[in-house]
Structures are given as C-alpha cells and as structure tokens.
Amino acid sequence: MKFLMEGQIYSKDSTPIARLMLGLLGSVAEFERSIIRERQSKGIARAKERGVCKGRARVLTDDQFT
C-alpha cells in the first residue's frame, strides 16, 4: 500500500512500526465509517418520522414480483 501525498509505503516486509501505523490507520478509518453509518441511520429514521423520506420508489408491481 502506498500513500502518495504522505510518501509512505507499506508492504509485508515493512518495519514493525510501519505495520503498527497501518493498523492504526485502518482502525481509525473503520471507526469513522461506523460513526457515519450510525448518524446516517438516525437521520433517515428522523426523516421517516417527519414523512420526508419514504424510501426508494418501487420499480416492480406486486404482479411482477411473484
């Protein structure tokens, strides 16, 4: 893995500190993504309560589905 802006390169032959940094970056990215999804689901739930978000429009009718 290579970060162009930072000029850092990580591979299986990297130093222990480089592997630690890569693990930390991955952990932070995973944490941020889970927070984003949690906020998104709360926002969607609030929008549904207000009647603003009704979900995706149906493409198939009930007859087409079966």
Side-chain angles (χ1 to χ4, degrees):
M1 181 174 286
K2 183 176 182 179
F3 291 88
L4 299 176
M5 291 184 66
E6 293 80 10
Q8 297 175 351
I9 299 173
Y10 297 101
S11 68
K12 64 180 181 181
D13 299 326
S14 295
T15 65
I17 292 175
R19 287 194 302 269
L20 173 67
M21 291 299 295
L22 184 60
L24 287 173
L25 287 171
S27 297
V28 169
E30 185 178 347
F31 173 72
E32 286 182 358
R33 185 64 186 136
S34 65
I35 295 296
I36 289 169
R37 294 186 81 155
E38 184 177 320
R39 288 179 183 161
Q40 181 183 25
S41 65
K42 286 181 182 179
I44 290 171
R46 288 180 185 161
K48 284 183 179 181
E49 288 174 3
R50 293 190 324 256
V52 177
C53 179
K54 298 177 183 171
R56 182 177 175 179
R58 294 186 74 179
V59 177
L60 300 175
T61 63
D62 288 334
D63 294 332
Q64 292 172 326
F65 184 71
T66 57

